């Protein structure tokens, strides 16, 4: 289950962020001054072939996460996002539903609505 990190790092000049984490997934949401979600990043398949879905009102980007650990004999590099074209919208929607029971309703419903729209777009 996704549970909130109470002391999520805040960046000056950005909207407030709320961070939720589980063994398999991270959800970072940015909220407005009324604490309503306005965009998010959902990272899933942590520890396997981690992916990132970043959504804002202007669109979404789906990326593979390069964890920086694939350099034998060298220090770990900073993780970076790499372009990927493979996006299983229905699978991501199902994974999120399974992890989201403990989320605040406003955040859960916001993300679910977007994932449902993406699922419809990718199955037409």
């Amino acid at each position: 289950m996704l549970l909130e990190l109470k002391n999520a790092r805040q960046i000056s000049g950005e909207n407030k962020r709320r961070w939720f984490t589980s063994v398999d997934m991270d959800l970072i949401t940015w909220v407005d001054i009324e604490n309503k979600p306005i965009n998010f990043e959902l990272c899933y398949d942590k520890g396997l072939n981690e992916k990132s879905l970043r959504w804002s009102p202007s669109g979404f980007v789906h990326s593979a996460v390069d964890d920086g650990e694939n350099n034998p004999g060298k220090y770990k590099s900073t993780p970076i996002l790499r372009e990927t074209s493979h996006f299983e919208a229905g699978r991501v929607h199902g994974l999120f539903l399974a992890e989201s029971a403990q989320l605040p309703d406003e955040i859960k419903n916001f993300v679910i609505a977007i994932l449902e729209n993406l699922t419809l777009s990718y199955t037409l």
Side-chain angles (χ1 to χ4, degrees), residues 47-48 50 65-80 82:
L48 300 170
E50 188 172 353
V65 178
D66 179 342
D67 65 6
E69 301 234 8
N70 294 327
N71 298 317
K74 296 188 178 188
Y75 292 109
K76 181 182 186 297
S77 300
T78 301
I80 58 171
R82 297 202 182 274

Side-chain angles (χ1 to χ4, degrees), residues 41 43 51-52 54 63-66 79-83:
E41 180 173 10
C43 299
K51 311 276 185 327
S52 166
R54 290 173 287 146
S63 306
V65 178
D66 179 342
I80 58 171
L81 299 177
R82 297 202 182 274
E83 202 173 309

Side-chain angles (χ1 to χ4, degrees), residues 17-34:
R17 77 170 75 178
R18 296 181 70 183
W19 194 315
F20 303 86
T21 190
S22 74
V23 171
D24 299 317
M25 185 176 284
D26 283 328
L27 172 67
I28 301 110
T29 59
W30 286 263
V31 296
D32 64 16
I33 59 172
E34 297 173 353

Side-chain angles (χ1 to χ4, degrees), residues 3-47:
L3 300 173
E4 187 163 12
L5 297 174
K6 294 299 179 186
N7 295 313
R9 188 177 115 202
Q10 304 299 318
I11 297 176
S12 179
E14 278 190 5
N15 288 76
K16 178 184 173 186
R17 77 170 75 178
R18 296 181 70 183
W19 194 315
F20 303 86
T21 190
S22 74
V23 171
D24 299 317
M25 185 176 284
D26 283 328
L27 172 67
I28 301 110
T29 59
W30 286 263
V31 296
D32 64 16
I33 59 172
E34 297 173 353
N35 219 26
K36 292 182 180 178
I38 53 176
N39 54 13
F40 69 86
E41 180 173 10
L42 179 65
C43 299
Y44 62 97
D45 288 345
K46 286 171 37 178

